[in-house]
Amino acid sequence: HFELTQPPSVSAAPGQKVAISCSGSDSTFASGSVSWYQQVPGAAPKLIIFDNNKRASGFPARFSGSKSGPSASLAISGLQTGDEADYYCATWDSRLNLVVFGGGTLLTVL
Amino acid sequence: QVQLVESGGRVVKPGRSLRLSCVTSGFSFANYAIHWIRQAPGKGLEWVAVMSYDETEAYYADSVKGRFTTSRDSALDTSFLQMNNLRVEDTATYYCARDTTFGVISLPNYWGRGIPVTVS
């Protein structure tokens, strides 16, 4: 199956904005939708964004998602130390009928 | 509120079997697909399997196909993951998760806390 590529890590200062990218080379990703998950150390993942840009309950408007063709992005503005976590993108591969996760991105708020 | 609680994880020897359970509450179990996802120590998320809300579809990752089987019991609001012929590389924390979308298979939404499985 195809892969979703994320940067291993990103960092920014408190109050700043950061964007985490998620790219896939397959055409099914280009036409499909993306979800984003936050995993704080020692805890289960939580859904942040679904259907590319819809925010899940419990997450403030500081979190936003976008997708254009083969590239998706999660943006977090007004960074807080509590945002430090691993972030994963995911999509449904409709040809092979399976979920593909990106490798994850560790966000550090300096 | 939506809750999923996994159980059944333990230490097992290679080649043995194990069945995980995922008891759910706070939503209409019969209307949502249930996913299983795992995470090896220090690694990323790996999707394992999904069963549709009506049990007509079940899909698996290549790494577990032929060894793992997912099922569900709507009378108990519970999903199961039967794991046979376990390998050392199956060692991970296993999560069950409810799908995002009513009536179809899409992507995970609500997750359980996870249960560790060690094959050694």
Side-chain angles (χ1 to χ4, degrees), chain A:
Chain A
H1 61 79
F2 67 89
E3 294 184 348
L4 295 180
T5 301
Q6 299 181 233
S9 63
V10 296
S11 61
Q16 296 297 304
K17 180 177 181 178
V18 71
I20 298 172
S21 61
C22 173
S23 62
S25 58
D26 194 90
S27 59
T28 57
F29 176 65
S31 59
S33 63
V34 169
S35 289
W36 289 90
Y37 302 89
Q38 178 194 64
Q39 186 177 32
V40 173
K46 288 184 179 179
L47 178 69
I48 312 169
I49 298 288
F50 63 101
D51 287 349
N52 301 328
N53 54 21
K54 297 179 175 62
R55 202 168 49 251
S57 60
F59 282 89
R62 302 188 296 109
F63 293 82
S64 62
S66 63
K67 183 174 181 287
S68 177
S71 296
S73 181
L74 172 70
I76 310 172
S77 62
L79 278 170
Q80 302 173 2
T81 55
D83 296 332
E84 288 199 330
D86 288 305
Y87 291 85
Y88 296 89
C89 61
T91 193
W92 174 254
D93 182 336
S94 58
R95 286 186 300 118
L96 298 180
N97 291 315
L98 50 80
V99 174
V100 181
F101 282 101
T105 299
L106 174 63
L107 168 63
T108 301
V109 181
L110 301 168

